[in-house]
């Protein structure tokens, strides 16, 4: 899924169908020695609902991209002995918090799911029909009719999630932000070997184990053009409600890693001091070009002077990426 070029809405269209109500039974009681047992037809069961449920462990709609139809079970028919048919099975669809549900045809907002465990019925199952024993009266002792069940409901709905970046990439042009984004996510940023490639923010969804996922954004313009007011960067992470992380990306061949970190930090402070309240992690990119000796030399300097946690990765050589995802997931969910 490509979410580049400023498309900030993760959305999925789906077709939902509830269950039919079961029909009531028009059975007449017949038993040896009981001449006219009278009506004893039971009611039909209720059809199943399709229910959306909020789940705070989900961050995106990626788990629904490939399942577009949800269909609840039908209610069973009533039967003799006044026995009611079983209700149809309800179907639960788990969605992240902040999911807005619209009717696809009218574009009307039906509801928004905001709390963990919140359940909303999106199509109701049909009521079961009443069996003939309900219709017995002094005038009509043996009614031979029962109600049919109420039919199912169908609807096309659109789920929208306003995607907020959970992880923002901060770095000088050409630090390898776009490359990291393209390796970790399915975003297809424009990548070139010159500065200022990223003009619009690129967003990508990082898939983590067991269908979990989080959103990473390459924030352009924090450095380039910031002084002239062209910088877009802070504008994205400004809306963050969840814990978000700033990932400082500094290439291994930078002249002075600590100095680069401090310049970036200072830019953020001048732009919007609140950004510095966020968790941060320094990632030394392009570190496939370092041998062990160089790595340990750099580590010695960083341990002494860098006021932040750091790790080495290489997007091209796929080194350290799993550890990076694990670390980010842990920071986001602590």
């Amino acid at each position: 899924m490509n979410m580049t070029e400023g498309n900030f809405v993760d959305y999925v269209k789906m077709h939902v169908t509830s269950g039919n109500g079961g029909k009531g039974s028009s059975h007449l009681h017949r038993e040896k020695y009981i001449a006219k047992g009278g009506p004893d037809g039971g009611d039909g069961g209720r059809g199943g609902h399709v229910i959306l449920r909020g789940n705070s462990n989900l961050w995106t709609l990626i788990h629904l991209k490939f399942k577009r139809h949800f269909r609840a079970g039908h209610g069973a028919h009533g039967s003799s002995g006044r026995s009611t048919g079983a209700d149809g099975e309800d179907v639960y669809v788990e969605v992240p918090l902040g999911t807005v549900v619209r009717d696809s045809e009218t574009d009307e907002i039906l509801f928004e799911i905001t709390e963990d465990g919140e359940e909303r019925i999106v199509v109701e199952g049909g009521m079961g029909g009443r069996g003939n024993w309900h219709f017995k009266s002094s005038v009509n002792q043996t009614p031979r009719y029962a109600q049919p069940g109420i039919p199912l409901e169908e609807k096309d709905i659109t789920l929208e999630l306003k995607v907020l970046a959970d992880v923002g990439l901060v770095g000088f042009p050409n630090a390898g932000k776009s490359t990291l984004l393209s390796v970790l996510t399915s975003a297809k940023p424009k990548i070139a070997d010159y500065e200022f490639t990223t003009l619009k923010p690129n967003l990508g969804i990082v898939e983590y184990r067991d269908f979990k996922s989080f959103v990473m954004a390459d924030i352009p313009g924090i450095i380039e053009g910031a002084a002239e007011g062209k910088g877009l960067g802070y504008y994205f992470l400004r809306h963050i409600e969840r814990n978000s992380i700033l990932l400082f990306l500094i290439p291994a061949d930078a002249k002075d890693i600590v100095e680069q970190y401090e310049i970036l930090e200072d830019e953020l402070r001048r732009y919007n001091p609140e950004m510095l309240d966020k968790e941060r992690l320094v990632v030394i990119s392009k570190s496939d070009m370092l041998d062990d000796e160089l790595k340990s030399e750099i580590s010695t300097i960083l341990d002494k002077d860098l006021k932040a946690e750091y790790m080495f990765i290489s997007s091209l050589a796929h080194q350290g990426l799993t550890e990076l995802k694990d670390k980010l997931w842990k920071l986001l969910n602590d």
Side-chain angles (χ1 to χ4, degrees):
M1 169 184 33
N2 185 1
M3 297 190 50
T4 50
E5 299 305 312
N7 171 12
F8 283 97
V9 180
D10 190 11
Y11 77 100
V12 170
K13 290 195 153 151
M14 57 171 61
H15 186 75
V16 286
T17 311
S18 64
N20 286 318
K23 47 176 213 259
S25 160
S26 53
H27 186 266
L28 297 175
H29 187 89
R30 290 281 176 270
E31 205 181 321
K32 213 169 166 189
Y33 310 125
I34 298 177
K36 292 206 169 117
D40 70 343
D43 303 348
R46 163 181 78 70
H49 303 317
V50 177
I51 300 169
L52 266 50
R53 179 161 57 197
N55 179 338
S56 59
N57 292 323
L58 296 172
W59 299 69
T60 63
L61 296 170
I62 204 158
H63 62 297
L64 298 173
K65 287 284 183 209
F66 305 107
K67 180 153 172 54
R68 294 299 174 82
H69 293 270
F70 288 88
R71 186 182 293 267
H74 297 311
H77 301 321
S79 55
S80 59
R82 294 192 187 181
S83 67
T84 303
D87 288 347
E89 197 178 341
D90 293 334
V91 167
Y92 288 87
V93 182
E94 305 267 337
V95 296
L97 309 188
T99 300
V100 176
V101 182
R102 290 177 188 275
D103 182 313
S104 302
E105 281 176 36
T106 62
D107 212 32
E108 174 204 355
I109 292 183
L110 304 174
F111 51 83
E112 180 173 358
I113 297 237
T114 54
E115 290 177 31
D116 189 41
E118 178 183 352
E119 295 183 2
R120 301 292 291 264
I121 295 176
V122 65
V123 280
E124 288 200 12
M127 294 288 297
R130 295 196 301 170
N132 64 352
W133 71 276
H134 287 283
F135 301 110
K136 193 163 96 163
S137 67
S138 58
V139 191
N140 183 358
Q141 303 263 323
T142 51
R144 292 170 189 269
Y145 61 86
Q147 286 178 329
I150 305 286
L152 55 79
E153 285 184 17
E154 295 190 63
K155 209 177 257 165
D156 285 307
I157 58 171
T158 305
L159 307 187
E160 286 186 1
L161 180 67
K162 300 283 182 280
V163 173
L164 300 173
D166 307 305
V167 178
L169 295 174
V170 184
F172 283 104
N174 213 11
K177 299 194 298 277
S178 298
T179 310
L180 178 63
L181 196 72
S182 66
V183 173
L184 284 186
T185 76
S186 43
K188 310 270 186 304
K190 301 187 188 75
I191 300 173
D193 211 12
Y194 50 87
E195 303 197 347
F196 311 139
T197 324
T198 309
L199 300 172
K200 286 190 182 170
N202 285 312
L203 271 126
I205 292 184
V206 179
E207 290 187 53
Y208 190 61
R209 309 155 192 231
D210 317 322
F211 288 115
K212 298 185 181 102
S213 46
F214 55 89
V215 178
M216 186 179 257
D218 177 355
I219 307 170
I222 279 189
I223 301 302
E224 55 253 44
E228 303 94 81
K230 280 195 216 129
L232 295 165
Y234 80 110
Y235 166 77
F236 288 99
L237 285 163
R238 206 174 52 187
H239 304 288
I240 293 281
E241 293 157 36
R242 297 197 279 237
N243 311 350
S244 54
I245 299 170
L246 292 174
L247 197 73
F248 288 81
L249 204 62
I250 301 174
D253 57 357
K255 285 192 186 69
D256 183 337
I257 291 174
V258 177
E259 184 192 32
Q260 275 218 6
Y261 171 72
E262 286 167 357
I263 294 172
L264 289 166
E265 193 182 43
D266 190 53
E267 278 287 346
L268 288 176
R269 185 178 293 109
R270 295 210 327 253
Y271 236 46
N272 181 348
E274 283 171 28
M275 291 195 65
L276 296 178
D277 299 341
K278 301 189 181 305
E279 289 273 6
R280 34 190 131 150
L281 180 61
V282 176
V283 172
I284 316 297
S285 66
K286 308 184 183 179
S287 57
D288 52 302
M289 52 171 79
L290 303 176
D291 57 23
D292 292 344
E293 199 177 331
L294 257 173
K295 224 182 239 184
S296 77
E297 269 175 46
I298 293 175
S299 298
T300 310
I301 298 168
L302 297 183
D303 290 340
K304 187 159 100 350
D305 298 333
L306 189 69
K307 299 178 187 64
E309 204 176 335
Y310 66 90
M311 56 197 301
F312 291 96
I313 64 152
S314 162
S315 304
L316 292 177
H318 286 258
Q319 286 166 8
L321 298 183
T322 307
E323 292 79 351
L324 176 59
K325 281 198 221 183
D326 286 344
K327 181 79 196 154
L328 291 172
W329 182 259
K330 193 164 172 297
L331 287 171
L332 281 172
N333 287 285
D334 269 353

